[in-house]
Amino acid sequence: MFMATIILILSTALFFFYVQAVCQKILRRKFEQEFFLAIVNANRLEFPAVRKSLEDFDVPVDYARLRMMLKCDFLALTYLLKNAANAGRSFSHEERLLIYYFRFAFFSLVMRHLLRLREKPAVLKMTAILQYFANVVGQRVNAVRFGSLTASDYLLNL
Amino acid sequence: MRELAGSLMSSELLKYAFQYGGFLLEAAVIMHVVRSGNFRRLAGPMVYVACILGVGTSRAYVIHHFGLKSSEYGYFYWTSDAALVLAAFAVVCVLFYRASAHEEKIWSFVRVTLVAVFLGVLAFSINSLLSHKDQLFTGFIVEFSQNVYFACLVLITLLYILMQQLGNTDDELGFLVCGMGIQFAGPAASLALFHLTSGEQMVRSLIGFIIPVCTLAMLVIWLYALTRQPQTAVDASLARGLVAWPEPAGDLKLRLR
């Protein structure tokens, strides 16, 4: 009985650990260049600034504003992922998994705030997911040639 | 009454969907590996997938002939389950070999550890059988399967840690290990629950969902690892600039500007 209880608890914990490990492995994908910069500039996304302020200064942040910034960036990027240079107009399997992972991280951020725990790990996780999304969008847009227009020129003229 | 019948029907349909979806995915993974000429490199995991496919189709055949509630199906189910966990243990050994073959010292230590773990699990399960001699199928095989699954789960976690320590850059192996981790964690947890609740009907139904879902998750992760390409596919017509880009939704349009 005791052994079965231990196995149940550990196995359940490890199940979620491996799901997270798969997400982390997808996020570790190397892109040929930093495609996300053009997308961030064209759409005035705020997650790089959030990450920089947390990594460099580690100052306490305005929680309500931070939440709003990350949520808005997430909405913009998921829209672009689905519609920008995407023939199928749908998310791929790994994008769908990362969207769930972002939502889980967002929930974790809310819980950490309520329990007065450190919010930094959850925020960094969310910015990593947003950077991946921006890189994917940037790579797709970069692969499309519109005369002399660059990716950021195109996005600014939308 | 109609609601209950409806929910039972939908849960049966879902079970069939998982079962036949699993068969298709297993066949697709094997076909892909054979066609891409990677079978030699991925022989261990592919033999395991072939075992899952073989056991799944044989179980369907036994149900068709003897019925779901027959004792023949019960014996066949638990015997094939024990065979599957042994195959799973063999795959774990293969993955350990792939991760540490180039480090002779580590591999010789790992080899001894794997043998010791297997013998330990066997001894633990036989000890349990001796105290419940009349329960070979209901007691021993369930406990043996649960213990081997859990041992595999612990070993695969140790392999994951070993890969981090060795700075292993084999991305494909990383995904294979994560897939196996999910495949072992679900059944280990559900079999432990089965053991704790003495096989209640609700838990049996739950296991009927959890195990195929975990297998499906493993196959999807493996297929992703084997088929993923560094570049994202872009529609050819878009690449030629022939198709208009979509108009953003109102609130997003404002944001994009």
Side-chain angles (χ1 to χ4, degrees):
Chain A
M1 190 70 98
F2 174 74
M3 190 71 180
T5 312
I6 297 286
I7 289 177
L8 179 63
I9 294 168
L10 283 179
S11 304
T12 311
L14 283 171
F15 175 84
F16 289 109
F17 167 78
Y18 281 112
V19 173
Q20 180 173 301
V22 169
C23 294
Q24 291 293 338
K25 285 205 88 61
I26 295 172
L27 288 176
R28 247 176 265 148
R29 176 180 156 190
K30 292 266 187 291
F31 290 84
E32 304 99 74
Q33 51 175 291
E34 293 187 321
F35 293 110
F36 77 96
L37 289 174
I39 304 299
V40 165
N41 292 335
N43 296 286
R44 297 180 195 125
L45 300 177
E46 291 164 296
F47 73 85
V50 170
R51 188 180 53 203
K52 197 167 166 54
S53 68
L54 277 175
E55 283 177 345
D56 293 356
F57 309 110
D58 201 12
V59 286
V61 284
D62 177 359
Y63 171 73
R65 189 174 151 71
L66 177 91
R67 236 180 70 162
M68 185 54 75
M69 286 194 296
L70 292 173
K71 201 169 185 176
C72 288
D73 285 0
F74 173 71
L75 288 173
L77 282 168
T78 45
Y79 176 82
L80 289 172
L81 264 182
K82 198 170 179 180
N83 296 288
N86 186 351
R89 300 276 186 276
S90 61
F91 299 116
S92 64
H93 292 306
E94 70 259 33
E95 287 159 10
R96 222 176 278 273
L97 180 65
L98 290 176
I99 287 171
Y100 288 123
Y101 188 44
F102 183 90
R103 288 190 178 136
F104 173 76
F106 196 80
F107 174 73
S108 152
L109 175 68
V110 174
M111 292 312 291
R112 279 166 182 271
H113 181 72
L114 289 176
L115 297 170
R116 296 180 187 281
L117 297 170
R118 269 167 58 84
E119 292 148 355
K120 190 178 163 183
V123 175
L124 290 179
K125 210 176 276 180
M126 289 162 80
T127 56
I129 300 167
L130 292 174
Q131 182 171 324
Y132 177 89
F133 286 163
N135 265 323
V136 172
V137 174
Q139 192 185 35
R140 281 180 192 162
V141 172
N142 195 54
V144 181
R145 301 256 172 255
F146 289 95
S148 57
L149 282 181
T150 63
S152 56
D153 288 338
Y154 169 75
L155 285 165
L156 282 168
N157 288 319
L158 266 178
Chain B
M1 196 64 183
R2 276 179 66 185
E3 276 179 18
L4 180 68
S7 81
L8 279 174
M9 209 172 88
S10 60
S11 90
E12 280 303 306
L13 276 176
L14 208 58
K15 269 186 191 172
Y16 281 125
F18 284 139
Q19 187 182 5
Y20 291 106
F23 291 166
L24 285 176
L25 207 53
E26 285 149 14
V29 170
I30 296 170
M31 290 270 283
H32 174 79
V33 172
V34 171
R35 284 181 67 178
S36 61
N38 291 326
F39 191 82
R40 254 179 93 85
R41 191 167 52 86
L42 295 161
M46 286 313 110
V47 168
Y48 179 57
V49 175
C51 284
I52 299 175
L53 181 60
V55 165
T57 46
S58 312
R59 279 178 185 168
Y61 177 79
V62 174
I63 289 180
H64 181 71
H65 269 264
F66 297 101
L68 184 66
K69 291 187 175 168
S70 63
S71 57
E72 284 88 350
Y73 177 67
Y75 290 137
F76 183 78
Y77 181 89
W78 290 113
T79 314
S80 57
D81 202 55
L84 265 187
V85 294
L86 291 175
F89 191 84
V91 178
V92 172
C93 298
V94 169
L95 294 182
F96 259 107
Y97 176 73
R98 181 165 161 181
S100 59
H102 55 283
E103 305 269 350
E104 189 51 44
K105 269 187 183 172
I106 295 176
W107 171 236
S108 56
F109 173 73
V110 164
R111 209 167 37 197
V112 175
T113 311
L114 289 171
V115 173
V117 166
F118 184 74
L119 291 177
V121 170
L122 196 63
F124 190 81
S125 304
I126 288 173
N127 184 42
S128 160
L129 173 67
L130 292 175
S131 52
H132 308 282
K133 280 180 186 165
D134 53 327
Q135 299 178 332
L136 176 69
F137 278 92
T138 52
F140 174 69
I141 294 187
V142 175
E143 182 149 352
F144 178 69
S145 300
Q146 173 203 300
N147 292 343
V148 178
Y149 266 129
F150 187 65
C152 287
L153 180 60
V154 172
L155 285 172
I156 216 84
T157 307
L158 290 177
L159 174 58
Y160 187 86
I161 295 167
L162 179 73
M163 283 170 61
Q164 305 292 319
Q165 294 292 321
L166 293 175
N168 194 311
T169 52
D170 188 347
D171 225 20
E172 187 184 85
L173 180 62
F175 277 108
L176 289 176
V177 168
C178 288
M180 283 299 261
I182 291 172
Q183 160 75 348
F184 292 141
S190 50
L191 285 171
L193 195 63
F194 180 87
H195 199 75
L196 281 172
T197 55
S198 312
E200 267 183 30
Q201 188 55 43
M202 205 186 83
V203 175
R204 279 173 192 262
S205 311
L206 194 66
I207 292 173
F209 282 108
I210 292 175
I211 295 178
V213 166
C214 289
T215 306
L216 276 178
M218 178 194 75
L219 292 168
V220 168
I221 292 166
W222 282 13
L223 201 58
Y224 171 72
L226 301 174
T227 57
R228 81 204 175 104
Q229 287 168 355
Q231 284 182 346
T232 316
V234 174
D235 184 18
S237 55
L238 276 173
R240 290 195 299 273
L242 297 174
V243 177
W245 284 61
E247 273 295 298
D251 53 337
L252 274 171
K253 192 167 182 176
L254 279 172
R255 186 163 176 75
L256 287 164
R257 282 181 191 284

